């Protein structure tokens, strides 16, 4: 399946085919709240909304195969996987937690303690040994792979929220902050 998959505030998920310049498929009312985050992994689409609901979709049939309305207490802001653990979906939330969710068993493996700040973005670095999370207040939190209960380190310095993270290499990331500066 090719195309750009989008989630939107009208609760819809759609796939835009840029070659044909058309919407190849869409799911109206995919969620009960605004779709805030989507992540594609091995024939499955994970989508999450502003109320913390996680849904899994079969991309062949475009049907929901799983729904957890209590995944997070607040909006889901980011999702990712570590390439060596593709069955483990990491979920960042505005409730200040990082959740590891097993895509095979469809169960929560572990949820971090409340980090006392909204988690806004995620990126995997150090060849999967570390996961970093951008926060509302500005610090970047560092989690060690498999130790999701609490951060192992933090990098202060951003004067505003870190809404986006983009890996350059295993030791370097670009950050997008609400002050409009890329660092």
């Amino acid at each position: 399946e090719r195309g750009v998959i989008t989630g939107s505030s009208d609760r819809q998920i759609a796939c835009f085919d840029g070659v044909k310049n058309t919407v190849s498929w869409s799911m109206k009312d995919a969620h009960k709240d605004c779709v805030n985050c989507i992540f594609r992994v091995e024939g499955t689409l994970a989508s999450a909304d502003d109320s913390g609901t996680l849904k899994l979709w079969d991309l062949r049939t475009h049907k929901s195969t799983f729904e957890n309305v209590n995944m997070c207490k607040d909006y889901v802001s980011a999702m990712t996987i570590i390439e060596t653990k593709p069955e483990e979906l990491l979920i960042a939330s505005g409730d200040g937690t990082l959740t590891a969710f097993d895509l095979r068993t469809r169960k929560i493996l572990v949820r971090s303690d409340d980090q006392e700040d909204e988690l806004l973005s995620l990126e995997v670095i150090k060849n999967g040994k570390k996961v970093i999370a951008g926060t509302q207040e500005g610090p970047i939190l560092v989690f060690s792979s498999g130790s999701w209960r609490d951060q192992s380190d933090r990098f202060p310095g951003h004067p505003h929220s870190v809404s986006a993270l983009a890996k350059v290499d295993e030791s370097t990331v670009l950050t997008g902050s609400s002050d409009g500066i890329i660092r």
Side-chain angles (χ1 to χ4, degrees):
E1 174 122 7
R2 68 174 192 230
V4 175
I5 300 174
T6 62
S8 59
S9 61
D10 66 358
R11 305 182 326 263
Q12 183 173 207
I13 296 173
C15 182
F16 179 75
D17 185 333
V19 174
K20 296 179 183 175
N21 202 26
T22 61
V23 173
S24 56
W25 56 265
S26 68
M27 296 177 280
K28 294 183 184 198
D29 298 321
H31 280 261
K32 292 179 181 158
D33 210 337
C34 301
V35 179
N36 200 42
C37 188
I38 55 174
F39 188 79
R40 184 178 174 170
V41 57
E42 295 184 15
T44 299
L45 180 72
S47 64
D49 64 25
D50 278 352
S51 60
T53 297
L54 172 74
K55 282 189 170 186
L56 301 179
W57 304 87
D58 183 327
L59 284 173
R60 295 167 296 174
T61 64
H62 307 126
K63 302 284 185 204
S64 175
T65 60
F66 174 83
E67 179 176 7
N68 182 329
V69 295
N70 298 315
M71 183 56 64
C72 300
K73 294 177 186 169
D74 203 344
Y75 67 94
V76 173
S77 56
M79 294 185 277
T80 194
I81 60 165
I82 298 172
E83 286 184 25
T84 57
K85 297 180 181 179
E87 70 283 351
E88 193 173 305
L89 182 67
L90 300 174
I91 303 165
S93 175
D95 66 12
T97 62
L98 177 67
T99 302
F101 178 79
D102 191 314
L103 290 166
R104 291 176 301 182
T105 64
R106 306 207 170 181
K107 294 186 178 179
I108 294 173
L109 297 169
V110 65
R111 186 182 320 275
S112 75
D113 296 332
D114 184 351
Q115 301 302 300
E116 299 178 8
D117 198 353
E118 297 174 44
L119 304 185
L120 303 179
S121 51
L122 288 175
E123 188 63 78
V124 179
I125 58 172
K126 300 290 185 183
N127 297 308
K129 293 180 182 159
K130 302 287 182 181
V131 173
I132 57 174
T135 64
Q136 179 67 33
E137 296 298 319
I140 296 174
L141 308 183
V142 181
F143 292 87
S144 295
S145 183
S147 298
W148 306 123
R149 288 252 182 242
D150 202 4
Q151 60 188 286
S152 59
D153 203 354
R154 64 189 289 130
F155 288 98
H158 286 79
H160 298 281
S161 64
V162 180
S163 305
L165 295 165
K167 179 167 61 175
V168 175
D169 58 39
E170 296 304 322
S171 299
T172 310
V173 293
L174 296 173
T175 62
S177 182
S178 62
D179 63 3
I181 297 174
I182 297 172
R183 294 176 173 84

